[in-house]
Amino acid sequence: SSTSSSCDPALRPIIRRRARSLPASPERRKRAAVKCQVPGCLSRMNRVRFADALGLELTEVKVFQTGEDPSIPLHVLSRLSINSDLWYSSLDLEFTMQCLVPDFQQPADCMDFSSRLQEQQVCLERVTSSDLGLSGTIHVRNIAFEKRVSVRYTFNQWKSLHELCARWHRSIPEKNGQGQVDVFTFFLPVPPFLLQLCSVVQFAARYQVNGQEYWDNNRGKNYSLTCRTHPLKMPRECEESWIHFI
């Protein structure tokens, strides 16, 4: 048979070495020793050791002398001190934030909501504010299937204006049972720089159907929201979790 020449080195078996544990101290060896007391059993030493992948010790024994206090880290002591002050304090934690607050009563909470809808064909139901913008719902009478509902708004007292389309959400029957009402939702994004004290956002609802146009502008005053400082109080049961957050 012909022999083939090769430049590859000769293969050798891989020998894996097992990590050894560090030698135990005489005191620890004496504490870990367990002698078998059963008659006829060979007396031998049973030892339990904890080591990592490199064989290094995972435990460390600290022996305190009589009258010696343990050393507590400073950051633990400071956290305990703050928690103790809050626990015995009679005042709740209070924070303030700036948000847009409506300058009008929510139309859905007014007694004349249904009559306003019958008169105007369109009426704002409710609006809520968050740190991202304004969310609201608008009711319109279902005069025809094809319709367009939008919100016209301004950030600078109508020196410039913008308009966004509302989305159909659902249909509900009118309270008098003679017709149907379509509910539309809208979201009006508010830039963060407008969340300053005394900043005002104004808007009105617009309803276009059958070549006609109807408005709900809060009886000619428009719907306005002013940025104000809103206090927030934290319950006592949340104080401890707030400390962990800090």
Side-chain angles (χ1 to χ4, degrees):
S1 60
S2 60
T3 59
S4 59
S5 61
S6 174
C7 296
D8 297 335
L11 298 178
R12 292 182 299 176
I14 299 176
I15 301 177
R16 295 183 178 178
R17 296 189 61 186
R18 186 176 182 180
R20 291 184 176 181
S21 301
L22 294 179
S25 60
E27 294 80 3
R28 186 177 301 173
R29 187 182 299 111
K30 185 182 298 183
R31 290 195 300 269
V34 179
K35 294 184 178 181
C36 180
Q37 303 297 333
V38 180
C41 178
L42 297 178
S43 176
R44 61 178 182 178
M45 308 286 286
N46 294 331
R47 293 178 296 178
V48 178
R49 298 289 306 282
F50 297 94
D52 59 8
L54 298 179
L56 302 179
E57 294 286 348
L58 294 180
T59 60
E60 180 180 356
V61 178
K62 171 65 177 177
V63 180
F64 293 94
Q65 302 296 332
T66 304
E68 181 182 357
D69 295 332
S71 177
I72 302 177
L74 182 60
H75 70 278
V76 176
L77 288 175
S78 61
R79 176 172 295 183
L80 291 175
S81 176
I82 296 175
N83 193 14
S84 177
D85 293 341
L86 289 175
W87 180 261
Y88 291 103
S89 175
S90 59
L91 298 178
D92 293 335
L93 292 179
E94 182 172 339
F95 307 92
T96 58
M97 64 176 297
Q98 295 177 354
C99 60
L100 292 170
V101 180
D103 299 323
F104 54 90
Q105 185 180 5
Q106 298 287 354
D109 299 333
C110 298
M111 298 296 296
D112 62 342
F113 177 72
S114 298
S115 60
R116 289 176 61 178
L117 179 60
Q118 292 288 332
E119 176 187 351
Q120 303 171 161
Q121 309 299 324
V122 53
C123 189
L124 174 72
E125 179 189 23
R126 193 176 300 275
V127 64
T128 58
S129 62
S130 66
D131 55 348
L132 299 178
L134 304 178
S135 301
T137 52
I138 301 173
H139 284 202
V140 298
R141 297 191 66 198
N142 187 20
I143 301 176
F145 179 79
E146 294 292 337
K147 58 178 68 70
R148 184 176 186 270
V149 180
S150 59
V151 175
R152 182 172 293 184
Y153 62 96
T154 180
F155 298 135
N156 53 12
Q157 301 293 333
W158 302 107
K159 295 178 182 178
S160 61
L161 55 88
H162 310 273
E163 191 164 339
L164 57 87
C165 291
R167 295 177 176 270
W168 181 88
H169 179 59
R170 61 191 177 111
S171 297
I172 57 176
E174 289 189 273
K175 288 188 176 182
N176 55 17
Q178 298 180 359
Q180 195 176 39
V181 174
D182 287 334
V183 181
F184 283 76
T185 62
F186 68 91
F187 176 74
L188 195 160
V190 178
F193 64 85
L194 286 176
L195 292 179
Q196 301 176 357
L197 290 180
C198 301
S199 296
V200 179
V201 178
Q202 295 177 289
F203 71 91
R206 183 186 185 189
Y207 178 31
Q208 296 170 291
V209 60
N210 281 350
Q212 300 293 323
E213 186 175 87
Y214 305 95
W215 287 86
D216 177 21
N217 55 10
N218 193 21
R219 305 291 191 185
K221 297 179 295 185
N222 294 320
Y223 293 102
S224 64
L225 296 94
T226 305
C227 185
R228 294 188 175 91
T229 301
H230 185 69
L232 293 177
K233 288 188 177 181
M234 179 174 293
R236 291 294 301 275
E237 57 269 16
C238 298
E239 291 179 358
E240 185 175 354
S241 61
W242 177 253
I243 293 302
H244 290 290
F245 173 75
I246 294 177

